[in-house]
Amino acid sequence: MVGKDCVAIASDLRLGTQALGISSNFQRVPVSHFSRVCPSLTICQVFPITDRLYVGLPGLGTDVTTLYERFRYRVNMYTIKEEREIHPETFTHMVSSTLYEHRFGPYFIEPVVAGLSKLPTGGLKPFIAAMDLIGCINFAKDFVVAGTASSKLYGVAEGLWEPDLEPEDLFETISQTLLNAVDRDAFSGWGAVVHVITKDRVISRTLKARMD
Amino acid sequence: MDSIAHPTQRQFSPYSDNGGTILAIAGADFTVIAGDTRQSEGYSIQTRYAPKVFPLTDRAVLAVNGFAADGNMFVKKVKQRLEWYRHAHSKDMPLRAIARLIQTMLYARRFFPFYVYNILGGIEEDGTGAVYSFDPVGSYEREACRAAGAAQSLVQPFLDNQACPFIHTSPFVVLTVDNRDIADLFQ
């Protein structure tokens, strides 16, 4: 979800095969290492992390791991070659083309990207995007959803979201949207995480959710 | 030349889905019940005004969604039973009795069901607002709020959030929402 100079990305924690729940601590939105990777580790530690970028990967569990590792590799290569951080837009196209490479035998993942992109003026602009499993990109201005509860998420988000929410209000909106949607979805739930990305920090919270 | 009898297949499909969405919310001493009026089949719109919310008595309203032909016939039959009840008892049937009547009427067709999702809204004998929702074969429940139809998956979690915030703690309403709050919700 997009807010005023901030974005939020959230996910549930359930891993399961159809009705069978396997794990209630499955991080579908891994903290991106992207903005921290640079040619020299020592430079990294003093680098102010201005560019924030998160990716959510709902779908087949094995593909979550495979794709995450692939993206990490490709982003590291990009960072080394270009000697700069990747932009959310660039990263989104990278994800998209990775998925389209497997057009006729796809990874079963519908990625969601959220970050703050740098403007030529030096300012930051909220950026979100979602893709289908073959990489068709949806650059939305308000919110994107993906996964088994997507139709429910659409319903609640359409009702709750409004433009220019401040970080704390955006946190409340995305949390209420996610919790109420997954509580009506048999294949989602079992805990949730929310990340709100602002200009100078990322607020990450784990939500107390229904466990039934 | 064509002396061999070829097998032929015939089929009759008695149901169709006419789309649309209905919903109801119970308050402390009132109920709101609503439905869209579009009737469609596949991607084509048959009409933009075919109501599927029907007043039954002064204190009961029935919304029907699913197969429109079955829905209309079902409402007609319920109304007929309610009229017979009025003639026999000189009063309107109470809401909870209508709910049970609908269950038996639906289950009577267990093996050739009315392809209809019913939501019954109204005022109980004790004055409380109530919503009853049914599946096509008569399984029913009294609830705080319910959506059914094409947009059920979009509307229901929103209703849980906005209209029934205590759904997690109580089986059904003890809500005291005033009319203005509900009106705000649908602006």
Side-chain angles (χ1 to χ4, degrees):
Chain A
M1 277 186 182
V2 169
K4 192 177 191 321
D5 302 320
C6 59
V7 285
I9 182 167
S11 159
D12 67 336
L13 295 170
R14 185 178 183 271
L15 169 71
T17 51
Q18 295 294 307
L20 176 65
I22 307 281
S23 158
S24 59
N25 189 25
F26 191 74
Q27 288 279 344
R28 222 168 297 271
V29 187
V31 178
S32 75
H33 300 179
F34 308 147
S35 52
R36 278 183 239 146
V37 177
C38 50
S40 154
L41 208 77
T42 41
I43 299 171
C44 227
Q45 288 176 333
V46 289
F47 241 59
I49 303 167
T50 52
D51 193 19
R52 298 290 190 161
L53 178 60
Y54 276 65
V55 61
L57 303 167
L60 182 67
T62 49
D63 289 349
V64 172
T65 315
T66 310
L67 275 182
Y68 176 59
E69 289 303 324
R70 256 189 107 136
F71 296 149
R72 194 164 71 87
Y73 164 75
R74 293 190 69 174
V75 168
N76 285 350
M77 292 306 285
Y78 181 97
T79 321
I80 293 163
K81 277 184 187 159
E82 300 278 329
E83 296 186 312
R84 62 185 171 87
E85 277 177 4
I86 196 166
H87 287 168
E89 289 87 344
T90 322
F91 177 71
T92 303
H93 280 103
M94 195 204 79
V95 172
S96 171
S97 55
T98 308
L99 291 172
Y100 198 79
E101 277 175 16
H102 302 271
R103 170 64 179 78
F104 297 109
Y107 288 115
F108 298 108
I109 295 287
E110 296 181 320
V112 170
V113 179
L116 295 172
S117 60
K118 274 205 188 75
L119 295 170
T121 55
L124 290 168
K125 192 173 75 70
F127 173 88
I128 55 163
M131 274 148 278
D132 65 7
L133 75 171
I134 53 169
C136 179
I137 309 171
N138 168 18
F139 297 107
K141 288 183 174 62
D142 43 13
F143 52 83
V144 287
V145 300
T148 58
S150 61
S151 64
K152 283 135 191 160
L153 286 162
Y154 267 126
V156 192
E158 201 68 63
L160 296 186
W161 185 88
E162 47 191 275
D164 297 325
L165 290 164
E166 296 295 332
E168 277 308 311
D169 297 329
L170 186 66
F171 168 77
E172 189 65 26
T173 307
I174 199 170
S175 302
Q176 291 289 341
T177 302
L178 184 73
L179 288 179
N180 285 282
V182 301
D183 283 353
R184 280 284 176 185
D185 183 27
F187 302 141
S188 303
W190 272 14
V193 282
V194 179
H195 306 282
V196 183
I197 307 163
T198 64
K199 181 165 61 68
D200 36 42
R201 72 194 195 103
V202 177
I203 307 154
S204 297
R205 295 191 179 115
T206 306
L207 303 180
K208 186 163 172 269
R210 284 180 73 121
M211 301 303 277
D212 58 356
Chain B
M1 182 174 157
D2 194 29
S3 58
I4 307 160
H6 294 284
T8 56
Q9 197 177 50
R10 294 172 201 285
Q11 57 174 324
F12 167 58
S13 166
Y15 294 126
S16 75
D17 182 356
N18 297 109
T21 301
I22 52 172
L23 67 102
I25 304 167
D29 56 356
F30 67 95
T31 298
V32 273
I33 184 162
D36 70 332
T37 60
R38 174 187 283 184
Q39 193 181 102
S40 56
E41 192 159 6
Y43 289 111
S44 51
I45 297 167
Q46 291 171 326
T47 173
R48 294 180 207 284
Y49 192 73
K52 42 184 163 278
V53 185
F54 303 94
L56 297 177
T57 67
D58 289 345
R59 289 163 168 262
V61 179
L62 182 63
V64 288
N65 194 247
F67 180 29
D70 272 4
N72 292 329
M73 183 49 83
F74 185 71
V75 169
K76 194 170 157 181
K77 282 175 177 287
V78 172
K79 280 184 170 173
Q80 188 177 52
R81 292 290 295 268
L82 292 176
E83 191 174 324
W84 290 345
Y85 183 96
R86 262 194 306 278
H87 291 316
H89 300 95
S90 305
K91 65 164 188 150
D92 281 335
M93 191 185 281
L95 193 70
R96 59 191 216 101
I98 300 177
R100 183 60 65 87
L101 171 73
I102 289 174
Q103 170 170 70
T104 53
M105 288 178 70
L106 289 169
Y107 197 79
R109 294 278 297 256
R110 174 61 180 79
F111 298 106
F112 185 24
F114 288 109
Y115 187 57
V116 173
Y117 288 86
N118 284 288
I119 296 177
L120 177 68
I123 314 281
E124 295 278 23
E125 280 173 305
D126 64 3
T128 58
V131 167
Y132 291 91
S133 70
F134 301 79
D135 79 353
V137 288
S139 190
Y140 79 111
E141 186 182 9
R142 184 181 166 183
E143 289 176 300
C145 57
R146 171 58 69 183
Q152 183 190 34
S153 66
L154 287 83
V155 177
Q156 187 65 54
F158 181 67
L159 250 37
D160 293 343
N161 183 230
Q162 294 291 309
C164 329
F166 307 121
I167 196 168
H168 300 307
T169 51
S170 73
F172 65 92
V173 241
V174 210
L175 262 191
T176 45
V177 193
D178 67 40
N179 290 290
R180 207 182 42 230
D181 287 344
I182 298 285
D184 286 348
L185 228 163
F186 293 101
Q187 261 175 13

